Each structure stands twice: as structure tokens, then as C-alpha cells.
Amino acid sequence: MVVHLQARMSESDDSAAKKIKLDSSQREEHVDWKKWKGERKAVKKQWKEDKLIKQLEKQNTSDVDCEEEAANEHDHNRPSNKGRPYTVSVALPGSVLDNAQSTELRTYLAGQIARACSVFCVDEIIIFDEYGEDVKSVEGEFTGVKKKGQACIQLARILQYLECPQYLRKWFFPKHQDLQYAGLCNPLDSPHHMRIDEEAEYREGIVLDRPTKPGKGSLVNCGMRKDVQIDKQLQSGLRVTVHLKKTENESKICKGVVVAPHVPRTEGGLYWGYNVRLASSLSDVFTDGPYEDGYDMTIGTSERGSDIDHTTLSPFKHLLVMFGGLQGLETSLDADQKLNVTDPAVLFDHYLNTCPSQGSRTIRTEEAILISMAVLRHKITSAFSDIQQKC
């Protein structure tokens, strides 16, 4: 019994010792909850502040990106305020229509030429007579397919008709045999061919024969639901380019200012159609131009010219690109009595082959316009890229 009691006392003492050690251990590992809560609260507060800062930074970055994207999109859709300082002219013989077998095909061929020039923003189309018939007016009647002298007139009339906005054609183009199949041509859909409810800064219009109050300008039909009152009194029947003013109130008429036809291009950065000019010979293309200093950059196209891939253009004011007829520019040069040269290359600053290694024996003029202007577009852009970067 004594042994068992001592054993139990011994076990009891051991348990007490372990308990004391455990309590001592617990006392050493005791956590100061108040301190812990304070630290935790401080960490949580800092975490919230960091999270809020990140959210604000993200929001600011998103807002900046949205603003930049909106600004870029707006700048992309809005034409440049600087506009386009140079012009591009295309010259071709009217005899290209003689390659068509019917009046319908002649009309459609003219439409292809108009489309090609509009796509590449050509400002002037010169139609010259490579047979020296001295054709300078579109007055006259079409007397049949493959009649000398009439192809230039018919081509010019169709090109003028397609360039004119649809809502003005009934005033400027009465019924004519040359325009009998003009409906076959694809529309140009140029920027100045406005829809009735389309908002625009510039519009083409015709001065109306309607009385206005003294001191007030003429009324112009610009293809809108309302007439436009301009700042000048002009003769009725004139085609004018109008810069529209923004009006906040709903009035019966709109206000506008008459501007030069080149203003939408030079100030608004818009392509505003092309002018059509007739030349009686190859030399008249150069000498009878509308620009005071003439064309400061001239390019002739021929399969016998140099490779365009190795050519660079310098900046210019007025570019002229000339295309030959069925027999090339050599035939036009031979028929021109004013020129005493035999090689057409000496007439131009660049005499280029715009389609090297062609797979067909011949390239039609309407095809040559598309090919050449597509290749020249990059050359023209490169010529003005340095100037634009400096500006």
C-alpha cells in the first residue's frame, strides 16, 4: 500500500510539474490581442489605402486611354485643318473611247475613268486631242462611234456630269444624247455628293432666281431641306461652293459664305471633285493650264519608261500625270505641230513605266490610271512626309 501510494504521489507530482510547465509555456506564448488588433487594424487600413490608390490610378489610366482613343478617332474622322496644299492632274487623249464598240461601252468606259480619278483624289482631268482637231468646247452633238473629234467632247461631258452632285444635275445638264446611258456608270460618291440630311461644313449649290430683301445675299439650293442665304448677291444659275454657318435656332433658311472651290481641299482637307479641261493638242496640256506657274512636276507613263520602283519624287505644288492613247504618247507627239522633238521622254520630269514586267501586251488607259495612281500615291506621300513632320 505504501508503495502504491508513493507511486500515486509520484504520478501526481509529475502531473503537477507538467501542468506548471504547460502553464509557463502558455504564459510565454500568450498573444497580446489588443496589440494584435491594433497592428491588424493598421495593416487593414494601409491595405484599403493601397487598394484605393490602385483603383484611382486604374481609373485615371482608363480615362486617359478613353480620351486619347476618342481624340484619335475624332482626329481620324475629321479632316486635317492644314488641308492638302498640292494638286494632282491627269491628262489623257479622248481617243480612248474609240476602243469601245458601242455607245453604252463608251459611256461605261468614261465612268471607269471618272471613278479611278475620284478614288485617287485627282483635282483636274485634261482631255487632249491627239489628232489636232482643236477641240476646246463641249458644245456639239455626238454623231456616232469612232468619229474623230467627237470622242473628246463626249468624254468631257460624261466626266462633268458624273462629277456634279446629283441634286444639281437637272440644272446644269439638260437631256443630251451623250448622256443617254450615263445611268450605267457607277456613282463617284465623292465627299461633295451630299445626302439631303447630311451635316457638312461645305456644300455645292446653285444660285436661285428668287428675290431677297435689300442688303441680303442670294438664296442657294445646296441640296438641303432649307435654302441657304449667302453673303453676296450673285447671278442666278451659278454653281457655288458654300461654307455653312452653324445656327442654333430653327429658322427657315440657313446662312453661308461663298468660298473658292479649292477651300474645302486647302483648308478643310476634303477631296472636292475634279475640273475637266479640253486641250487641242499635247503641248496645250502644258501651256493652257489654270495655274500661273504651270505644273512644277510632270510625269509621263509608257512601257518604254524607266522603272518607277527606283524613282523618288520631290515636293511640288501641281503634279501632272499624262497617259497615252491606243498607240502611246508617241502618236500624240507626232501629231503636234508645235513640238519639234521626237522623244516624249524629254517633255517630262519623269518618264516612267508604272507596271514593269506586265503580263499583257497592252494595258488599257483606264487600267493604267488605276495602276499608276496606286503606285504614285506612296511616292507622293513620301515626298510630303518630311514637311508634315516639321509642321
Side-chain angles (χ1 to χ4, degrees):
M1 293 293 292
V2 176
V3 176
H4 292 293
L5 181 59
Q6 290 179 348
R8 289 178 183 175
M9 290 178 62
S10 176
E11 290 177 1
S12 177
D13 293 340
D14 292 340
S15 299
K18 291 180 179 180
K19 185 176 182 180
I20 293 172
K21 290 182 180 180
L22 182 61
D23 292 340
S24 176
S25 176
Q26 287 177 348
R27 283 196 301 267
E28 292 177 355
E29 296 179 1
H30 177 71
V31 177
D32 189 349
W33 291 105
K34 186 176 181 180
K35 184 179 178 181
W36 183 87
K37 287 181 180 180
E39 294 175 354
R40 184 64 178 172
K41 188 175 181 180
V43 172
K44 189 175 182 181
K45 183 179 180 181
Q46 184 65 36
W47 176 78
K48 287 184 178 180
E49 291 178 355
D50 293 342
K51 184 178 180 182
L52 181 60
I53 292 173
K54 289 181 180 180
Q55 289 177 350
L56 292 175
E57 291 177 351
K58 186 177 180 181
Q59 183 177 356
N60 292 335
T61 305
S62 178
D63 293 341
V64 171
D65 293 340
C66 292
E67 291 177 359
E68 291 180 354
E69 184 178 354
N72 293 335
E73 183 178 358
H74 180 68
D75 293 338
H76 177 73
N77 294 331
R78 185 183 64 182
S80 174
N81 292 329
K82 298 178 182 179
R84 177 162 56 91
Y86 60 88
T87 64
V88 178
S89 300
V90 164
L92 70 156
S95 61
V96 296
L97 293 189
D98 294 338
N99 201 30
Q101 290 77 26
S102 66
T103 308
E104 295 92 329
L105 291 177
R106 288 166 70 96
T107 304
Y108 190 76
L109 175 58
Q112 288 180 301
I113 295 173
R115 281 283 302 173
C117 292
S118 296
V119 166
F120 292 102
C121 301
V122 173
D123 303 293
E124 182 190 27
I125 302 178
I126 306 132
I127 304 169
F128 64 91
D129 186 1
E130 62 179 350
Y131 301 117
E133 295 292 336
D134 194 21
V135 178
K136 290 188 177 181
S137 173
V138 293
E139 299 297 329
E141 298 292 331
F142 171 57
T143 56
V145 179
K146 295 186 179 180
K147 297 294 183 180
K148 287 198 296 185
Q150 297 299 320
C152 295
I153 297 174
Q154 187 185 25
L155 177 58
R157 183 176 283 114
I158 296 173
L159 291 178
Q160 289 177 336
Y161 175 84
L162 294 175
E163 186 277 336
C164 183
Q166 289 87 337
Y167 56 85
L168 297 179
R169 289 175 181 173
K170 61 181 179 181
W171 279 289
F172 295 108
F173 294 93
K175 187 176 180 180
H176 195 279
Q177 190 175 0
D178 287 351
L179 304 175
Q180 181 180 1
Y181 299 103
L184 296 175
C185 299
N186 297 315
L188 301 187
D189 202 20
S190 297
H192 65 300
H193 288 198
M194 304 289 182
R195 279 66 170 175
I196 188 170
D197 293 322
E198 186 175 354
E199 296 183 1
E201 187 177 2
Y202 300 93
R203 272 185 177 266
E204 289 290 290
I206 180 173
V207 179
L208 300 175
D209 186 12
R210 288 176 53 185
T212 57
K213 295 180 181 180
K216 300 292 184 179
S218 302
L219 293 177
V220 178
N221 182 352
C222 292
M224 305 166 62
R225 299 187 186 276
K226 302 176 183 178
D227 294 331
V228 179
Q229 189 172 44
I230 57 177
D231 58 329
K232 298 178 180 179
Q233 192 71 34
L234 300 178
Q235 182 182 356
S236 62
L238 292 178
R239 177 176 169 178
V240 292
T241 304
V242 180
H243 185 190
L244 299 175
K245 296 181 179 179
K246 294 182 179 180
T247 56
E248 296 179 358
N249 56 342
E250 293 293 333
S251 59
K252 294 182 179 179
I253 59 175
C254 300
K255 301 287 185 179
V257 178
V258 175
V259 296
H262 66 79
V263 171
R265 170 182 61 84
T266 56
E267 296 184 6
L270 296 167
Y271 173 61
W272 212 244
Y274 54 77
N275 294 322
V276 180
R277 178 166 69 90
L278 284 167
S280 58
S281 62
L282 178 64
S283 58
D284 288 346
V285 174
F286 299 92
T287 59
D288 294 346
Y291 310 112
E292 183 178 356
D293 297 330
Y295 304 98
D296 55 346
M297 177 68 70
T298 56
I299 297 176
T301 60
S302 173
E303 61 181 4
R304 288 172 283 278
S306 58
D307 193 341
I308 192 173
D309 295 335
H310 307 297
T311 304
T312 57
L313 301 180
S314 57
F316 54 84
K317 291 183 178 179
H318 306 292
L319 170 66
L320 172 65
V321 184
M322 184 174 290
F323 299 90
L326 301 178
Q327 304 299 324
L329 288 173
E330 290 77 9
T331 302
S332 303
L333 182 60
D334 294 339
D336 195 332
Q337 302 299 324
K338 301 177 184 178
L339 298 175
N340 296 322
V341 297
T342 57
D343 186 7
V346 300
L347 302 175
F348 306 96
D349 297 323
H350 301 279
Y351 197 57
L352 303 176
N353 180 5
T354 57
C355 187
S357 305
Q358 63 191 56
S360 175
R361 293 188 181 92
T362 58
I363 295 180
R364 299 170 65 92
T365 304
E366 64 272 20
E367 297 170 341
I369 295 175
L370 284 171
I371 296 171
S372 302
M373 298 309 297
V375 178
L376 286 172
R377 186 191 66 83
H378 175 68
K379 304 288 184 181
I380 295 171
T381 304
S382 300
F384 288 91
S385 60
D386 295 337
I387 298 178
Q388 292 175 354
Q389 290 175 0
K390 291 178 182 180
C391 295

